[in-house]
Amino acid sequence: MTAVALASGKQGSNPVSDSRRGWVWLLPPLAVVAVFFGYPLVLVAGQSLTTDSGFGLGVWAEVLGSAEFRDAAGQTVLLALGATTGCVLLGTFLALVIAFVPFPGARTLSRLVDTVLAFPSFLIALAFTFLYGSAGVFGAGGFLYSPWGVLLAEITFYTPFVMRPALAAFGQVPGVHLDVAASLGAKPGRVLWRVVLPAALPSLASGACLTLLLALNEFGIVLFLGAKGVTTLPMLVYGKGIVTFDFPAASVVALVDVAISLLLYGSYRVLSGRGRDAVVDAA
């Protein structure tokens, strides 16, 4: 027994060896990330610097200075901001109804929201085609194939991405806070504005950032609807790379889109971390 204890003590008293073993376990996932993400990204970056005369920033200057890129970037930002605003308003309202208004089927509706998160985006576009297409039930073809049709489809698809964190945040609001506010004479609207929404604000902000990130990179809805005059950055990458085979220009647009996505993802991580801290403090 003494020998076993000494052996175990020797094994547990070498933090340098434990640290080295930890780095060994970190190498496989780093290798996977480098091969499947880092290497293709390097190839795209190299392609964006390829010009007729060798390497340079000529393609970057040409693409970023073109009216086509500015229009695509503007439409992408406007559609993403509009979809995010609509999702936040609609998702917050629906989450408040499910969380605080007692009615039969609230739990079933909450689970249905989780199911919608698994749907592919083109399924929403297909459903909208059957409803609002030229030969659809309502026959509003002109509306569907406009930026407003794309915006409505994105709001419909991405609203659950705001509802889910909002429902979780509303469920963590201590009931005693609501009771105290009501006992002090606060009306329901004031309780909602001063107690419920501030507690859920970090979660709502993280859901908004996630929705904005996804809407900026939405491709299936725009491609499937074929909206006239709607060209977003992902569609521009598709057009440059697949239709015209202009791979350097497509690489430039793709890298700009990646940079914006990484910036938004960093914001989402910060806000989601604050949301978890707020939930812990409230608990």
Side-chain angles (χ1 to χ4, degrees):
M1 293 295 292
T2 305
V4 173
L6 290 175
S8 62
K10 291 180 180 180
Q11 292 176 357
S13 61
N14 193 351
V16 176
S17 178
D18 293 341
S19 177
R20 289 176 179 176
R21 281 195 291 268
W23 279 104
V24 170
W25 287 108
L26 186 61
L27 291 178
L30 287 178
V32 171
V33 172
V35 171
F36 291 100
F37 179 76
Y39 180 64
L41 191 60
V42 170
L43 291 180
V44 171
Q47 187 69 39
S48 70
L49 299 174
T50 303
T51 62
D52 295 335
S53 59
F55 284 93
L57 297 176
V59 179
W60 280 86
E62 180 181 354
V63 171
L64 297 183
S66 64
E68 184 182 30
F69 174 81
R70 291 194 299 269
D71 292 341
Q75 286 190 341
T76 302
V77 172
L78 288 177
L79 282 173
L81 290 176
T84 302
T85 302
C87 290
V88 169
L89 295 176
L90 181 60
T92 303
F93 172 75
L94 294 177
L96 285 171
V97 172
I98 295 174
F100 297 109
V101 178
F103 65 93
R107 185 181 297 272
T108 302
L109 183 59
S110 178
R111 291 176 179 175
L112 182 62
V113 172
D114 295 335
T115 305
V116 174
L117 293 176
F119 288 170
S121 61
F122 72 85
L123 185 62
I124 300 296
L126 180 62
F128 270 47
T129 302
F130 290 145
L131 289 175
Y132 307 111
S134 300
V137 176
F138 300 104
F143 166 79
L144 180 63
Y145 306 117
S146 68
W148 293 104
V150 175
L151 181 62
L152 181 60
E154 290 187 355
I155 291 175
T156 303
F157 180 69
Y158 289 118
T159 292
F161 289 86
V162 176
M163 284 182 61
R164 174 43 54 196
L167 280 172
F170 294 152
Q172 296 294 330
V173 176
V176 64
H177 292 179
L178 305 180
D179 295 337
V180 170
S183 65
L184 294 176
K187 296 181 179 180
R190 186 173 179 84
V191 173
L192 173 65
W193 186 255
R194 299 298 297 270
V195 178
V196 177
L197 290 181
L201 185 59
S203 297
L204 293 175
S206 64
C209 283
L210 178 60
T211 303
L212 182 61
L213 173 63
L214 296 173
L216 278 171
N217 293 282
E218 177 55 45
F219 177 74
I221 290 177
V222 183
L223 179 65
F224 199 92
L225 290 181
K228 297 179 181 179
V230 179
T231 303
T232 60
L233 289 179
M235 286 295 296
L236 188 59
V237 174
Y238 175 81
K240 294 289 186 183
I242 305 300
V243 179
T244 63
F245 299 102
D246 189 356
F247 295 113
S251 299
V252 171
V253 180
L255 288 175
V256 172
D257 204 11
V258 168
I260 297 174
S261 300
L262 290 176
L263 179 63
L264 287 175
Y265 179 73
S267 302
Y268 165 73
R269 293 288 297 178
V270 171
L271 292 172
S272 61
R274 291 180 180 178
R276 287 192 297 268
D277 294 340
V279 169
V280 173
D281 294 339

